[in-house]
Amino acid sequence: MKTNIWTQIFLVTEDLLNKISTSKYNPLYYHGALPQFIMYILFLSGLLLFAYYVPTIDNAYFSKNLVNAYTSVAYITNDIPFGAVIRAVHRYAGDAMVVAILIHMVRVWFTDRYRQYRWVQWESGIVLLLMVLFIGQTGYYLIWDERSLLLTRMTVSALEVVPVIGEPLRNWFLNGRTISNLTLSNFLFIHIGLSFSLLFALWIHYVRMSRPVITPPPALNYILMTIIFAVVYFFPITATKIADLNSQPTSMDIDVFFLLPYAVLGALGTTGFWISMILITAALCLIPYPFTNKKPVESAEVVDSKCTGCSFCFKDCPFQAIEMVPAPAGSRFKLLATVKPYRCSGCGVCVGACAFDAIDLPNLLDSDVNEKIKQLANSQSA
Amino acid sequence: MAAAIGLCLWASAMMPWAELDMNVDNLPHTFKLLHIEPVGKALGEIYGGSADKHKTHLESQKAEGKKGEYVYSLAIGLALLGAAIAIAAIGSADDEEKMTLPEKK
């Protein structure tokens, strides 16, 4: 655990939330599960929007009235029952997802749950965050208002400067050489396709967890829904202007949760944008690597002569670092615990689980910990 | 907990009124079929006083679509909040630590 002012802030916040909501409903204990619940809200609301969305920039299906992405969004908002509310829920749930992911990320970092065997979770989490941000940005393209047009053109300008693959990237993004009906189809494909790809990325994210908490308690889900519905009421989505390919919008409202990279792009230009994005992403990806940790972690060690093969440590280990193997010949017991050092994070859960002092951390002996606890208890009772 | 359940019920009853776009003057035919027109009128009497406030707020925010749908959103949010508090109050009984730490031998 990190021991600085931030840890204290986290502990005070945690304690405060425990007093308000009790530990059973403390959102900080479900920081990983909350984004997943929000994902389900996004899937469901997105499905309802998808039913009426027309991914074109001109009259693709009708000749009399202008039917395109923008007018279909306006139709959803104004004519479909609860269309405006569902659209707003979809948008604000996206914002909530980014907030929840950032809280999850910070919390995981402060509690040191990204080290050792869990580097896969950290790296896959970074990928998930980037995916969510890009999905959200494509959501803004789909509305096809002035902001969508400006975002599309800014993205094209950023992609074009990428060495060697700049032009293919631009053509892939636009689904052709210029903005056309196919462009919106591509945006929709990316938005939905990448959203479902989140499930695969989540599988990788969970694969090394013994018991991932993937569902928050219903009461927390309800409160989250309350917040989203209240935001929908207090800050309804307002009408915007349809995109006009013959004009060049020069300013837009920035959604800080998804469109901040575009503010960076506008401020630093394409080269500065790519340098800053690569640096930020690389810094985030490098966090789990050992040179960023001051203290090397030593894995737990089993005292073979004391182990009874009860499996408590195996069941409690959050890193799947303990394996129960057949006990050696002559043992009174059937099983023996063994530690996989490359998976052990030195958290000490197994030491607490063992009733027979049969497992120790080399740099933190069970007897020493017990002695410290006794001293602490005595000092507090005195 | 009684207040939370009360909030949940109060907000749940507000939902059909909001769905009627905060107007019970011309109730849908369903109300006649089910002979629950008095219920519709009662909802109007209970919640009708706040209709103007909701409309003023939503118009100032330039909300699109039917205004009652946003009020429905608020109502369902409040109902869920009441339910959450009630569930948490019931569930907090399970909050006590039940795990027995192993006694070191």
Side-chain angles (χ1 to χ4, degrees):
Chain A
M1 288 278 287
K2 289 158 184 74
T3 50
N4 54 30
I5 185 71
W6 296 106
T7 311
Q8 292 303 317
I9 291 171
F10 245 104
L11 288 174
V12 168
T13 312
E14 192 172 321
D15 192 41
L16 188 68
L17 285 170
N18 274 336
K19 281 174 183 157
I20 296 169
S21 61
T22 73
S23 61
K24 190 177 177 182
Y25 300 104
N26 188 334
L28 286 178
Y29 299 153
Y30 301 95
H31 51 92
L34 284 170
Q36 183 152 331
F37 176 72
I38 298 169
M39 187 180 74
Y40 298 141
I41 299 172
L42 286 164
F43 278 175
L44 190 59
S45 55
L47 187 68
L48 295 167
L49 297 175
F50 176 64
Y52 295 97
Y53 181 72
V54 180
T56 63
I57 62 170
D58 61 17
N59 294 3
Y61 302 118
F62 301 96
S63 56
K64 287 183 179 176
N65 299 314
L66 179 65
V67 177
N68 68 0
Y70 179 87
T71 56
S72 69
V73 170
Y75 178 71
I76 290 168
T77 308
N78 296 310
D79 297 309
I80 300 296
F82 292 98
V85 169
I86 289 164
R87 195 183 146 206
V89 164
H90 194 67
R91 184 250 172 96
Y92 291 126
D95 289 344
M97 189 167 189
V98 175
V99 173
I101 289 173
L102 290 177
I103 291 171
H104 174 53
M105 195 169 146
V106 172
R107 172 98 177 155
V108 164
W109 187 68
F110 274 106
T111 48
D112 282 355
R113 292 180 190 174
Y114 59 91
R115 296 185 304 174
Q116 297 283 98
Y117 183 57
R118 283 196 172 173
W119 69 269
V120 172
Q121 276 98 315
W122 181 269
E123 302 300 348
S124 60
I126 301 293
V127 173
L128 277 162
L129 174 62
L130 295 176
M131 285 170 77
V132 166
L133 290 176
F134 191 49
I135 291 166
Q137 286 161 11
T138 52
Y140 278 101
Y141 308 155
L142 291 174
I143 301 164
W144 206 239
D145 56 3
E146 284 185 330
R147 176 166 56 186
S148 311
L149 182 59
L150 183 56
L151 291 172
T152 304
R153 285 177 173 161
M154 287 177 82
T155 310
V156 168
S157 71
L159 293 176
E160 276 177 336
V161 298
V162 177
V164 186
I165 55 166
E167 194 180 337
L169 264 180
R170 185 203 64 189
N171 292 344
W172 162 78
F173 182 71
L174 292 178
N175 210 2
R177 292 184 176 276
T178 56
I179 295 171
S180 67
N181 287 331
L182 297 173
T183 308
L184 264 287
S185 299
N186 199 34
F187 290 168
L188 185 63
F189 173 74
I190 296 170
H191 190 69
I192 295 176
L194 214 52
S195 299
F196 281 101
S197 303
L198 283 176
L199 296 172
F200 178 72
L202 273 174
W203 171 67
I204 295 172
H205 197 55
Y206 291 148
V207 79
R208 287 192 173 190
M209 291 186 206
S210 296
R211 290 172 295 280
V213 179
I214 55 172
T215 47
L220 264 188
N221 294 341
Y222 290 178
I223 288 171
L224 182 72
M225 293 295 298
T226 299
I227 294 168
I228 293 173
F229 281 127
V231 173
V232 169
Y233 173 81
F234 288 108
F235 306 101
I237 293 179
T238 52
T240 49
K241 283 185 184 171
I242 189 168
D244 179 3
L245 289 173
N246 298 317
S247 70
Q248 174 63 352
T250 52
S251 64
M252 62 179 171
D253 293 332
I254 288 283
D255 176 343
V256 290
F257 300 108
F258 287 109
L259 303 182
L260 210 54
Y262 288 93
V264 176
L265 179 60
L268 302 180
T270 49
T271 310
F273 166 77
W274 282 116
I275 291 171
S276 57
M277 288 300 123
I278 289 168
L279 285 177
I280 292 168
T281 309
L284 287 173
C285 289
L286 286 174
I287 282 175
Y289 288 94
F291 64 84
T292 59
N293 297 322
K294 289 175 185 168
K295 274 200 321 189
V297 176
E298 290 188 58
S299 61
E301 287 176 357
V302 177
V303 183
D304 290 4
S305 59
K306 290 183 178 179
C307 179
T308 62
C310 68
S311 301
F312 280 1
C313 55
F314 165 75
K315 285 173 185 164
D316 276 4
C317 177
F319 300 98
Q320 300 170 342
I322 293 175
E323 188 177 10
M324 301 307 296
V325 297
S331 172
R332 288 189 296 140
F333 306 106
K334 285 182 181 174
L335 295 170
L336 176 71
T338 54
V339 178
K340 295 176 180 173
Y342 63 96
R343 288 188 177 183
C344 180
S345 74
C347 67
V349 165
C350 53
V351 179
C354 182
F356 304 98
D357 281 348
I359 193 160
D360 276 324
L361 289 169
N363 56 357
L364 197 65
L365 291 175
D366 199 13
S367 52
D368 293 344
V369 174
N370 281 335
E371 191 57 37
K372 279 183 186 175
I373 292 170
K374 276 179 192 168
Q375 282 176 6
L376 198 66
N378 289 337
S379 66
Q380 284 191 344
S381 60
Chain B
M1 192 168 72
I5 294 171
L7 173 66
C8 184
L9 293 174
W10 178 82
S12 298
M14 188 178 173
M15 281 150 60
W17 169 74
E19 197 174 355
L20 293 167
D21 208 17
M22 301 181 284
N23 183 1
V24 293
D25 292 340
N26 297 307
L27 289 169
H29 191 60
T30 320
F31 278 74
K32 290 172 190 167
L33 282 176
L34 297 172
H35 304 292
I36 54 169
E37 285 166 300
V39 175
K41 299 290 179 194
L43 288 176
E45 285 171 17
I46 295 167
Y47 301 105
S50 61
D52 288 340
K53 283 181 190 171
H54 291 304
K55 281 178 187 166
T56 308
H57 158 71
L58 291 163
E59 279 162 10
S60 70
Q61 293 289 323
K62 297 176 183 170
E64 297 178 272
K66 283 184 180 177
K67 305 295 178 278
E69 291 174 0
Y70 292 93
V71 180
Y72 187 97
S73 169
L74 181 69
I76 196 171
L78 289 172
L80 286 169
L81 179 66
I85 295 168
I87 290 170
I90 296 165
S92 61
D94 301 333
D95 193 41
E96 289 170 27
E97 185 63 73
K98 289 197 175 110
M99 188 182 74
T100 308
L101 290 170
E103 190 182 334
K104 302 286 179 185
K105 294 177 182 169

